[in-house]
Amino acid sequence: MKYVDRLLKETDYLQIVGELEKTEADRVFCRHGLSHLLDVARIGWILALERGQAGKEKPREALKEKIYLTALLHDLGRLAEAEEGIPHHRAGAALAEKLLDEIQYPKEEQQDILAAISEHRGDQPVFFGSGTKFVREQELNKDFINLIKEADNRSRNCFFCSSRALCSWSKERRNQGIFW
């Protein structure tokens, strides 16, 4: 996975993940460091395989890389949310676009990743970059967006969380077990 390897060597990416981990070190609820990002990637890939979305040979590897890139980028906007009050899915999409360009990920392939990051918190409008580029609803890959949302939600071990009594998430939103 050439682009994932490039991302994991990208100084800006590593710095942001390090800052995110420092910022959330004392957080009692779900953290958003590299462990979470990798959990989302692995669960997303498992879901794609289970649903037969993975295809064969080259398309299979391309989808795997797209899932991993999306997962590794999806929560990076949390720093901007904490520092500037910008919703993290919006800040994250702008940051992801910059990082995807840095690693020379093909522009024509970025839309699904940016849309999934922009929408992973729910039914939000799609914002890329500065928020000026909108994508029409019919152009979105809803299956991919939903795959990332589901992987993100399934990555939470709410059933075993020591802070669950303090959590503001509704019982319906919380994961109640390993299998669904």
Side-chain angles (χ1 to χ4, degrees), residues 46-93:
I46 290 167
L47 291 171
L49 289 171
E50 286 178 345
R51 295 173 182 168
Q53 294 173 329
K56 303 216 186 299
E57 299 304 318
K58 188 169 171 60
R60 177 185 182 111
E61 286 306 307
L63 177 61
K64 183 177 184 181
E65 185 149 53
K66 188 187 295 189
I67 289 168
Y68 269 75
L69 283 171
T70 306
L72 289 168
L73 294 166
H74 85 279
D75 274 338
L76 296 188
R78 295 195 65 83
L79 287 175
E81 186 172 69
E83 295 169 1
E84 303 167 36
I86 301 167
H88 87 269
H89 56 285
R90 290 185 187 171

mmCIF file of all heavy atoms in Angstrom, residues 46-93:
data_model
loop_
_atom_site.group_PDB
_atom_site.id
_atom_site.type_symbol
_atom_site.label_atom_id
_atom_site.label_comp_id
_atom_site.label_asym_id
_atom_site.label_seq_id
_atom_site.Cartn_x
_atom_site.Cartn_y
_atom_site.Cartn_z
ATOM 1 N N ILE A 46 -12.439 -5.482 7.038
ATOM 2 C CA ILE A 46 -13.175 -6.719 7.338
ATOM 3 C C ILE A 46 -14.611 -6.609 6.824
ATOM 4 O O ILE A 46 -15.133 -7.542 6.202
ATOM 5 C CB ILE A 46 -13.153 -7.024 8.853
ATOM 6 C CG1 ILE A 46 -11.743 -7.441 9.277
ATOM 7 C CG2 ILE A 46 -14.177 -8.101 9.208
ATOM 8 C CD1 ILE A 46 -11.532 -7.470 10.787
ATOM 9 N N LEU A 47 -15.253 -5.478 7.075
ATOM 10 C CA LEU A 47 -16.633 -5.283 6.602
ATOM 11 C C LEU A 47 -16.701 -5.357 5.075
ATOM 12 O O LEU A 47 -17.617 -5.971 4.520
ATOM 13 C CB LEU A 47 -17.190 -3.943 7.086
ATOM 14 C CG LEU A 47 -17.453 -3.814 8.586
ATOM 15 C CD1 LEU A 47 -17.799 -2.370 8.944
ATOM 16 C CD2 LEU A 47 -18.543 -4.769 9.035
ATOM 17 N N ALA A 48 -15.740 -4.725 4.397
ATOM 18 C CA ALA A 48 -15.715 -4.764 2.925
ATOM 19 C C ALA A 48 -15.557 -6.193 2.430
ATOM 20 O O ALA A 48 -16.235 -6.612 1.481
ATOM 21 C CB ALA A 48 -14.590 -3.887 2.389
ATOM 22 N N LEU A 49 -14.690 -6.962 3.067
ATOM 23 C CA LEU A 49 -14.496 -8.369 2.682
ATOM 24 C C LEU A 49 -15.766 -9.185 2.927
ATOM 25 O O LEU A 49 -16.193 -9.964 2.074
ATOM 26 C CB LEU A 49 -13.324 -8.973 3.454
ATOM 27 C CG LEU A 49 -11.939 -8.477 3.067
ATOM 28 C CD1 LEU A 49 -10.895 -9.005 4.064
ATOM 29 C CD2 LEU A 49 -11.587 -8.894 1.647
ATOM 30 N N GLU A 50 -16.356 -9.020 4.094
ATOM 31 C CA GLU A 50 -17.565 -9.771 4.436
ATOM 32 C C GLU A 50 -18.717 -9.470 3.488
ATOM 33 O O GLU A 50 -19.538 -10.334 3.211
ATOM 34 C CB GLU A 50 -18.007 -9.452 5.874
ATOM 35 C CG GLU A 50 -17.132 -10.079 6.927
ATOM 36 C CD GLU A 50 -17.559 -9.713 8.347
ATOM 37 O OE1 GLU A 50 -18.360 -8.758 8.533
ATOM 38 O OE2 GLU A 50 -17.083 -10.381 9.278
ATOM 39 N N ARG A 51 -18.772 -8.267 2.992
ATOM 40 C CA ARG A 51 -19.876 -7.850 2.117
ATOM 41 C C ARG A 51 -19.575 -8.033 0.641
ATOM 42 O O ARG A 51 -20.368 -7.637 -0.204
ATOM 43 C CB ARG A 51 -20.214 -6.394 2.407
ATOM 44 C CG ARG A 51 -20.751 -6.243 3.810
ATOM 45 C CD ARG A 51 -20.941 -4.832 4.207
ATOM 46 N NE ARG A 51 -21.410 -4.815 5.586
ATOM 47 C CZ ARG A 51 -21.466 -3.753 6.333
ATOM 48 N NH1 ARG A 51 -21.110 -2.582 5.834
ATOM 49 N NH2 ARG A 51 -21.884 -3.821 7.574
ATOM 50 N N GLY A 52 -18.427 -8.592 0.335
ATOM 51 C CA GLY A 52 -18.080 -8.820 -1.058
ATOM 52 C C GLY A 52 -17.787 -7.556 -1.833
ATOM 53 O O GLY A 52 -17.863 -7.539 -3.062
ATOM 54 N N GLN A 53 -17.437 -6.469 -1.139
ATOM 55 C CA GLN A 53 -17.161 -5.200 -1.795
ATOM 56 C C GLN A 53 -15.720 -5.112 -2.284
ATOM 57 O O GLN A 53 -15.364 -4.177 -2.985
ATOM 58 C CB GLN A 53 -17.419 -4.035 -0.830
ATOM 59 C CG GLN A 53 -18.864 -3.874 -0.434
ATOM 60 C CD GLN A 53 -19.040 -2.827 0.651
ATOM 61 O OE1 GLN A 53 -18.178 -2.621 1.484
ATOM 62 N NE2 GLN A 53 -20.187 -2.165 0.638
ATOM 63 N N ALA A 54 -14.893 -6.085 -1.904
ATOM 64 C CA ALA A 54 -13.460 -5.961 -2.132
ATOM 65 C C ALA A 54 -13.020 -6.247 -3.558
ATOM 66 O O ALA A 54 -11.941 -5.856 -3.952
ATOM 67 C CB ALA A 54 -12.704 -6.864 -1.161
ATOM 68 N N GLY A 55 -13.797 -6.928 -4.343
ATOM 69 C CA GLY A 55 -13.402 -7.177 -5.726
ATOM 70 C C GLY A 55 -12.209 -8.110 -5.832
ATOM 71 O O GLY A 55 -11.895 -8.844 -4.922
ATOM 72 N N LYS A 56 -11.530 -8.065 -6.936
ATOM 73 C CA LYS A 56 -10.398 -8.956 -7.185
ATOM 74 C C LYS A 56 -9.142 -8.158 -7.506
ATOM 75 O O LYS A 56 -9.205 -7.065 -8.025
ATOM 76 C CB LYS A 56 -10.722 -9.865 -8.363
ATOM 77 C CG LYS A 56 -11.984 -10.690 -8.177
ATOM 78 C CD LYS A 56 -11.782 -12.047 -8.814
ATOM 79 C CE LYS A 56 -13.035 -12.873 -8.811
ATOM 80 N NZ LYS A 56 -13.582 -13.182 -7.563
ATOM 81 N N GLU A 57 -8.013 -8.751 -7.190
ATOM 82 C CA GLU A 57 -6.678 -8.235 -7.519
ATOM 83 C C GLU A 57 -6.537 -6.725 -7.334
ATOM 84 O O GLU A 57 -6.677 -6.231 -6.249
ATOM 85 C CB GLU A 57 -6.285 -8.657 -8.947
ATOM 86 C CG GLU A 57 -6.226 -10.159 -9.148
ATOM 87 C CD GLU A 57 -5.289 -10.875 -8.192
ATOM 88 O OE1 GLU A 57 -4.184 -10.397 -7.935
ATOM 89 O OE2 GLU A 57 -5.679 -11.943 -7.696
ATOM 90 N N LYS A 58 -6.288 -5.978 -8.409
ATOM 91 C CA LYS A 58 -5.988 -4.549 -8.304
ATOM 92 C C LYS A 58 -7.129 -3.747 -7.669
ATOM 93 O O LYS A 58 -6.873 -2.963 -6.764
ATOM 94 C CB LYS A 58 -5.599 -3.978 -9.664
ATOM 95 C CG LYS A 58 -5.094 -2.557 -9.579
ATOM 96 C CD LYS A 58 -4.474 -2.124 -10.882
ATOM 97 C CE LYS A 58 -4.143 -0.665 -10.918
ATOM 98 N NZ LYS A 58 -3.218 -0.173 -9.950
ATOM 99 N N PRO A 59 -8.393 -3.927 -8.083
ATOM 100 C CA PRO A 59 -9.450 -3.160 -7.412
ATOM 101 C C PRO A 59 -9.509 -3.469 -5.915
ATOM 102 O O PRO A 59 -9.798 -2.602 -5.112
ATOM 103 C CB PRO A 59 -10.736 -3.603 -8.108
ATOM 104 C CG PRO A 59 -10.301 -4.137 -9.419
ATOM 105 C CD PRO A 59 -8.910 -4.678 -9.209
ATOM 106 N N ARG A 60 -9.192 -4.705 -5.567
ATOM 107 C CA ARG A 60 -9.206 -5.107 -4.161
ATOM 108 C C ARG A 60 -8.161 -4.317 -3.369
ATOM 109 O O ARG A 60 -8.443 -3.784 -2.312
ATOM 110 C CB ARG A 60 -8.936 -6.605 -4.086
ATOM 111 C CG ARG A 60 -8.845 -7.169 -2.714
ATOM 112 C CD ARG A 60 -8.441 -8.644 -2.829
ATOM 113 N NE ARG A 60 -8.390 -9.256 -1.536
ATOM 114 C CZ ARG A 60 -9.244 -10.182 -1.119
ATOM 115 N NH1 ARG A 60 -10.202 -10.596 -1.901
ATOM 116 N NH2 ARG A 60 -9.121 -10.688 0.072
ATOM 117 N N GLU A 61 -6.950 -4.248 -3.887
ATOM 118 C CA GLU A 61 -5.881 -3.517 -3.206
ATOM 119 C C GLU A 61 -6.161 -2.018 -3.178
ATOM 120 O O GLU A 61 -5.845 -1.338 -2.200
ATOM 121 C CB GLU A 61 -4.527 -3.812 -3.846
ATOM 122 C CG GLU A 61 -4.003 -5.191 -3.510
ATOM 123 C CD GLU A 61 -3.945 -5.478 -2.011
ATOM 124 O OE1 GLU A 61 -3.354 -4.673 -1.255
ATOM 125 O OE2 GLU A 61 -4.508 -6.505 -1.582
ATOM 126 N N ALA A 62 -6.756 -1.499 -4.242
ATOM 127 C CA ALA A 62 -7.093 -0.072 -4.289
ATOM 128 C C ALA A 62 -8.138 0.260 -3.225
ATOM 129 O O ALA A 62 -8.037 1.293 -2.550
ATOM 130 C CB ALA A 62 -7.591 0.311 -5.676
ATOM 131 N N LEU A 63 -9.134 -0.598 -3.053
ATOM 132 C CA LEU A 63 -10.151 -0.367 -2.028
ATOM 133 C C LEU A 63 -9.536 -0.469 -0.638
ATOM 134 O O LEU A 63 -9.820 0.351 0.237
ATOM 135 C CB LEU A 63 -11.316 -1.357 -2.169
ATOM 136 C CG LEU A 63 -12.391 -1.242 -1.085
ATOM 137 C CD1 LEU A 63 -13.042 0.148 -1.091
ATOM 138 C CD2 LEU A 63 -13.435 -2.333 -1.254
ATOM 139 N N LYS A 64 -8.703 -1.455 -0.430
ATOM 140 C CA LYS A 64 -8.055 -1.605 0.874
ATOM 141 C C LYS A 64 -7.265 -0.346 1.213
ATOM 142 O O LYS A 64 -7.353 0.175 2.330
ATOM 143 C CB LYS A 64 -7.136 -2.831 0.857
ATOM 144 C CG LYS A 64 -6.480 -3.115 2.189
ATOM 145 C CD LYS A 64 -5.645 -4.392 2.098
ATOM 146 C CE LYS A 64 -5.046 -4.770 3.428
ATOM 147 N NZ LYS A 64 -4.235 -5.988 3.331
ATOM 148 N N GLU A 65 -6.503 0.147 0.252
ATOM 149 C CA GLU A 65 -5.719 1.353 0.503
ATOM 150 C C GLU A 65 -6.625 2.551 0.777
ATOM 151 O O GLU A 65 -6.353 3.356 1.663
ATOM 152 C CB GLU A 65 -4.782 1.644 -0.668
ATOM 153 C CG GLU A 65 -3.877 2.823 -0.388
ATOM 154 C CD GLU A 65 -2.535 2.699 -1.064
ATOM 155 O OE1 GLU A 65 -2.508 2.480 -2.284
ATOM 156 O OE2 GLU A 65 -1.522 2.847 -0.363
ATOM 157 N N LYS A 66 -7.719 2.663 0.039
ATOM 158 C CA LYS A 66 -8.653 3.781 0.249
ATOM 159 C C LYS A 66 -9.270 3.719 1.648
ATOM 160 O O LYS A 66 -9.392 4.740 2.328
ATOM 161 C CB LYS A 66 -9.748 3.763 -0.820
ATOM 162 C CG LYS A 66 -10.634 4.994 -0.777
ATOM 163 C CD LYS A 66 -11.815 4.920 -1.715
ATOM 164 C CE LYS A 66 -11.407 4.881 -3.165
ATOM 165 N NZ LYS A 66 -12.584 5.029 -4.051
ATOM 166 N N ILE A 67 -9.635 2.531 2.091
ATOM 167 C CA ILE A 67 -10.196 2.365 3.437
ATOM 168 C C ILE A 67 -9.155 2.755 4.481
ATOM 169 O O ILE A 67 -9.446 3.510 5.423
ATOM 170 C CB ILE A 67 -10.689 0.915 3.657
ATOM 171 C CG1 ILE A 67 -11.941 0.658 2.826
ATOM 172 C CG2 ILE A 67 -10.948 0.642 5.145
ATOM 173 C CD1 ILE A 67 -12.355 -0.809 2.746
ATOM 174 N N TYR A 68 -7.942 2.251 4.337
ATOM 175 C CA TYR A 68 -6.888 2.563 5.308
ATOM 176 C C TYR A 68 -6.566 4.060 5.321
ATOM 177 O O TYR A 68 -6.428 4.658 6.395
ATOM 178 C CB TYR A 68 -5.634 1.728 5.048
ATOM 179 C CG TYR A 68 -5.648 0.427 5.814
ATOM 180 C CD1 TYR A 68 -6.458 -0.629 5.412
ATOM 181 C CD2 TYR A 68 -4.875 0.254 6.956
ATOM 182 C CE1 TYR A 68 -6.491 -1.817 6.118
ATOM 183 C CE2 TYR A 68 -4.891 -0.933 7.672
ATOM 184 C CZ TYR A 68 -5.706 -1.978 7.251
ATOM 185 O OH TYR A 68 -5.735 -3.149 7.956
ATOM 186 N N LEU A 69 -6.433 4.672 4.154
ATOM 187 C CA LEU A 69 -6.153 6.110 4.114
ATOM 188 C C LEU A 69 -7.269 6.898 4.799
ATOM 189 O O LEU A 69 -7.003 7.808 5.594
ATOM 190 C CB LEU A 69 -5.994 6.585 2.669
ATOM 191 C CG LEU A 69 -4.674 6.252 1.993
ATOM 192 C CD1 LEU A 69 -4.740 6.594 0.503
ATOM 193 C CD2 LEU A 69 -3.509 6.971 2.663
ATOM 194 N N THR A 70 -8.504 6.562 4.497
ATOM 195 C CA THR A 70 -9.640 7.274 5.092
ATOM 196 C C THR A 70 -9.616 7.138 6.605
ATOM 197 O O THR A 70 -9.758 8.123 7.338
ATOM 198 C CB THR A 70 -10.977 6.744 4.531
ATOM 199 O OG1 THR A 70 -10.937 6.810 3.110
ATOM 200 C CG2 THR A 70 -12.150 7.550 5.055
ATOM 201 N N ALA A 71 -9.438 5.914 7.077
ATOM 202 C CA ALA A 71 -9.429 5.673 8.523
ATOM 203 C C ALA A 71 -8.274 6.402 9.205
ATOM 204 O O ALA A 71 -8.455 7.004 10.272
ATOM 205 C CB ALA A 71 -9.353 4.173 8.791
ATOM 206 N N LEU A 72 -7.108 6.367 8.595
ATOM 207 C CA LEU A 72 -5.938 7.011 9.190
ATOM 208 C C LEU A 72 -6.049 8.538 9.218
ATOM 209 O O LEU A 72 -5.379 9.208 9.996
ATOM 210 C CB LEU A 72 -4.668 6.597 8.441
ATOM 211 C CG LEU A 72 -4.237 5.147 8.670
ATOM 212 C CD1 LEU A 72 -3.147 4.750 7.678
ATOM 213 C CD2 LEU A 72 -3.770 4.921 10.109
ATOM 214 N N LEU A 73 -6.927 9.086 8.391
ATOM 215 C CA LEU A 73 -7.099 10.539 8.303
ATOM 216 C C LEU A 73 -8.370 11.056 8.982
ATOM 217 O O LEU A 73 -8.479 12.249 9.260
ATOM 218 C CB LEU A 73 -7.126 10.952 6.827
ATOM 219 C CG LEU A 73 -5.840 10.762 6.033
ATOM 220 C CD1 LEU A 73 -6.112 10.877 4.532
ATOM 221 C CD2 LEU A 73 -4.791 11.759 6.480
ATOM 222 N N HIS A 74 -9.340 10.195 9.268
ATOM 223 C CA HIS A 74 -10.696 10.668 9.560
ATOM 224 C C HIS A 74 -10.855 11.513 10.823
ATOM 225 O O HIS A 74 -11.755 12.339 10.894
ATOM 226 C CB HIS A 74 -11.702 9.500 9.554
ATOM 227 C CG HIS A 74 -11.808 8.759 10.829
ATOM 228 N ND1 HIS A 74 -10.909 7.779 11.209
ATOM 229 C CD2 HIS A 74 -12.719 8.846 11.830
ATOM 230 C CE1 HIS A 74 -11.258 7.288 12.371
ATOM 231 N NE2 HIS A 74 -12.348 7.922 12.766
ATOM 232 N N ASP A 75 -10.018 11.353 11.820
ATOM 233 C CA ASP A 75 -10.195 12.120 13.068
ATOM 234 C C ASP A 75 -9.122 13.173 13.303
ATOM 235 O O ASP A 75 -9.045 13.750 14.384
ATOM 236 C CB ASP A 75 -10.250 11.177 14.274
ATOM 237 C CG ASP A 75 -11.639 10.637 14.540
ATOM 238 O OD1 ASP A 75 -12.624 11.261 14.099
ATOM 239 O OD2 ASP A 75 -11.752 9.587 15.197
ATOM 240 N N LEU A 76 -8.304 13.469 12.320
ATOM 241 C CA LEU A 76 -7.225 14.431 12.523
ATOM 242 C C LEU A 76 -7.735 15.839 12.809
ATOM 243 O O LEU A 76 -7.033 16.643 13.409
ATOM 244 C CB LEU A 76 -6.294 14.459 11.309
ATOM 245 C CG LEU A 76 -5.539 13.172 11.008
ATOM 246 C CD1 LEU A 76 -4.524 13.414 9.900
ATOM 247 C CD2 LEU A 76 -4.862 12.593 12.233
ATOM 248 N N GLY A 77 -8.944 16.137 12.425
ATOM 249 C CA GLY A 77 -9.525 17.453 12.679
ATOM 250 C C GLY A 77 -9.894 17.693 14.126
ATOM 251 O O GLY A 77 -10.312 18.804 14.485
ATOM 252 N N ARG A 78 -9.716 16.715 14.982
ATOM 253 C CA ARG A 78 -10.071 16.876 16.396
ATOM 254 C C ARG A 78 -9.222 17.954 17.072
ATOM 255 O O ARG A 78 -9.689 18.606 18.005
ATOM 256 C CB ARG A 78 -9.984 15.550 17.123
ATOM 257 C CG ARG A 78 -11.037 14.554 16.591
ATOM 258 C CD ARG A 78 -11.234 13.387 17.498
ATOM 259 N NE ARG A 78 -11.784 13.762 18.777
ATOM 260 C CZ ARG A 78 -13.078 13.954 19.038
ATOM 261 N NH1 ARG A 78 -13.969 13.810 18.079
ATOM 262 N NH2 ARG A 78 -13.474 14.268 20.242
ATOM 263 N N LEU A 79 -7.998 18.160 16.624
ATOM 264 C CA LEU A 79 -7.167 19.232 17.194
ATOM 265 C C LEU A 79 -7.766 20.594 16.890
ATOM 266 O O LEU A 79 -7.853 21.458 17.771
ATOM 267 C CB LEU A 79 -5.739 19.160 16.651
ATOM 268 C CG LEU A 79 -4.877 18.021 17.173
ATOM 269 C CD1 LEU A 79 -3.542 18.000 16.456
ATOM 270 C CD2 LEU A 79 -4.682 18.124 18.669
ATOM 271 N N ALA A 80 -8.189 20.801 15.643
ATOM 272 C CA ALA A 80 -8.811 22.071 15.264
ATOM 273 C C ALA A 80 -10.124 22.270 16.023
ATOM 274 O O ALA A 80 -10.472 23.396 16.391
ATOM 275 C CB ALA A 80 -9.056 22.125 13.761
ATOM 276 N N GLU A 81 -10.837 21.183 16.262
ATOM 277 C CA GLU A 81 -12.079 21.275 17.025
ATOM 278 C C GLU A 81 -11.787 21.749 18.447
ATOM 279 O O GLU A 81 -12.455 22.651 18.961
ATOM 280 C CB GLU A 81 -12.787 19.922 17.043
ATOM 281 C CG GLU A 81 -14.156 19.945 17.685
ATOM 282 C CD GLU A 81 -14.881 18.626 17.493
ATOM 283 O OE1 GLU A 81 -14.452 17.619 18.085
ATOM 284 O OE2 GLU A 81 -15.881 18.625 16.756
ATOM 285 N N ALA A 82 -10.765 21.162 19.066
ATOM 286 C CA ALA A 82 -10.415 21.533 20.437
ATOM 287 C C ALA A 82 -9.863 22.954 20.526
ATOM 288 O O ALA A 82 -10.189 23.702 21.451
ATOM 289 C CB ALA A 82 -9.398 20.541 21.000
ATOM 290 N N GLU A 83 -9.043 23.333 19.557
ATOM 291 C CA GLU A 83 -8.365 24.622 19.609
ATOM 292 C C GLU A 83 -9.177 25.772 19.021
ATOM 293 O O GLU A 83 -9.083 26.899 19.494
ATOM 294 C CB GLU A 83 -7.020 24.532 18.873
ATOM 295 C CG GLU A 83 -6.043 23.585 19.548
ATOM 296 C CD GLU A 83 -4.821 23.271 18.701
ATOM 297 O OE1 GLU A 83 -4.707 23.814 17.571
ATOM 298 O OE2 GLU A 83 -3.983 22.469 19.171
ATOM 299 N N GLU A 84 -9.958 25.491 17.971
ATOM 300 C CA GLU A 84 -10.626 26.571 17.242
ATOM 301 C C GLU A 84 -12.144 26.431 17.177
ATOM 302 O O GLU A 84 -12.821 27.296 16.629
ATOM 303 C CB GLU A 84 -10.075 26.635 15.811
ATOM 304 C CG GLU A 84 -8.570 26.834 15.751
ATOM 305 C CD GLU A 84 -8.009 26.587 14.364
ATOM 306 O OE1 GLU A 84 -8.690 26.937 13.373
ATOM 307 O OE2 GLU A 84 -6.903 26.025 14.283
ATOM 308 N N GLY A 85 -12.680 25.329 17.667
ATOM 309 C CA GLY A 85 -14.117 25.114 17.652
ATOM 310 C C GLY A 85 -14.687 24.700 16.303
ATOM 311 O O GLY A 85 -15.895 24.695 16.108
ATOM 312 N N ILE A 86 -13.815 24.354 15.357
ATOM 313 C CA ILE A 86 -14.261 23.908 14.038
ATOM 314 C C ILE A 86 -14.683 22.448 14.162
ATOM 315 O O ILE A 86 -13.921 21.638 14.692
ATOM 316 C CB ILE A 86 -13.128 24.017 12.996
ATOM 317 C CG1 ILE A 86 -12.636 25.459 12.886
ATOM 318 C CG2 ILE A 86 -13.576 23.482 11.645
ATOM 319 C CD1 ILE A 86 -11.331 25.593 12.118
ATOM 320 N N PRO A 87 -15.882 22.062 13.707
ATOM 321 C CA PRO A 87 -16.282 20.651 13.787
ATOM 322 C C PRO A 87 -15.199 19.754 13.167
ATOM 323 O O PRO A 87 -14.683 20.054 12.081
ATOM 324 C CB PRO A 87 -17.578 20.596 12.986
ATOM 325 C CG PRO A 87 -18.131 21.984 13.068
ATOM 326 C CD PRO A 87 -16.920 22.886 13.074
ATOM 327 N N HIS A 88 -14.844 18.699 13.859
ATOM 328 C CA HIS A 88 -13.665 17.933 13.455
ATOM 329 C C HIS A 88 -13.808 17.251 12.100
ATOM 330 O O HIS A 88 -12.822 17.050 11.410
ATOM 331 C CB HIS A 88 -13.236 16.945 14.548
ATOM 332 C CG HIS A 88 -13.888 15.621 14.533
ATOM 333 N ND1 HIS A 88 -15.039 15.335 15.226
ATOM 334 C CD2 HIS A 88 -13.516 14.477 13.919
ATOM 335 C CE1 HIS A 88 -15.358 14.069 15.033
ATOM 336 N NE2 HIS A 88 -14.456 13.515 14.252
ATOM 337 N N HIS A 89 -15.028 16.918 11.698
ATOM 338 C CA HIS A 89 -15.189 16.283 10.392
ATOM 339 C C HIS A 89 -14.915 17.282 9.259
ATOM 340 O O HIS A 89 -14.401 16.906 8.215
ATOM 341 C CB HIS A 89 -16.572 15.632 10.259
ATOM 342 C CG HIS A 89 -17.713 16.568 10.495
ATOM 343 N ND1 HIS A 89 -18.072 16.993 11.754
ATOM 344 C CD2 HIS A 89 -18.549 17.163 9.639
ATOM 345 C CE1 HIS A 89 -19.094 17.814 11.656
ATOM 346 N NE2 HIS A 89 -19.404 17.940 10.378
ATOM 347 N N ARG A 90 -15.229 18.538 9.469
ATOM 348 C CA ARG A 90 -14.939 19.564 8.458
ATOM 349 C C ARG A 90 -13.447 19.899 8.434
ATOM 350 O O ARG A 90 -12.834 19.952 7.374
ATOM 351 C CB ARG A 90 -15.752 20.818 8.721
ATOM 352 C CG ARG A 90 -17.215 20.609 8.461
ATOM 353 C CD ARG A 90 -17.974 21.891 8.605
ATOM 354 N NE ARG A 90 -19.397 21.599 8.500
ATOM 355 C CZ ARG A 90 -20.337 22.472 8.749
ATOM 356 N NH1 ARG A 90 -20.023 23.691 9.103
ATOM 357 N NH2 ARG A 90 -21.603 22.135 8.631
ATOM 358 N N ALA A 91 -12.884 20.150 9.606
ATOM 359 C CA ALA A 91 -11.448 20.449 9.686
ATOM 360 C C ALA A 91 -10.636 19.263 9.178
ATOM 361 O O ALA A 91 -9.624 19.437 8.493
ATOM 362 C CB ALA A 91 -11.062 20.778 11.123
ATOM 363 N N GLY A 92 -11.110 18.054 9.482
ATOM 364 C CA GLY A 92 -10.404 16.849 9.063
ATOM 365 C C GLY A 92 -10.403 16.662 7.557
ATOM 366 O O GLY A 92 -9.404 16.228 6.977
ATOM 367 N N ALA A 93 -11.497 17.005 6.894
ATOM 368 C CA ALA A 93 -11.554 16.871 5.434
ATOM 369 C C ALA A 93 -10.569 17.830 4.773
ATOM 370 O O ALA A 93 -9.864 17.453 3.828
ATOM 371 C CB ALA A 93 -12.978 17.125 4.924
#
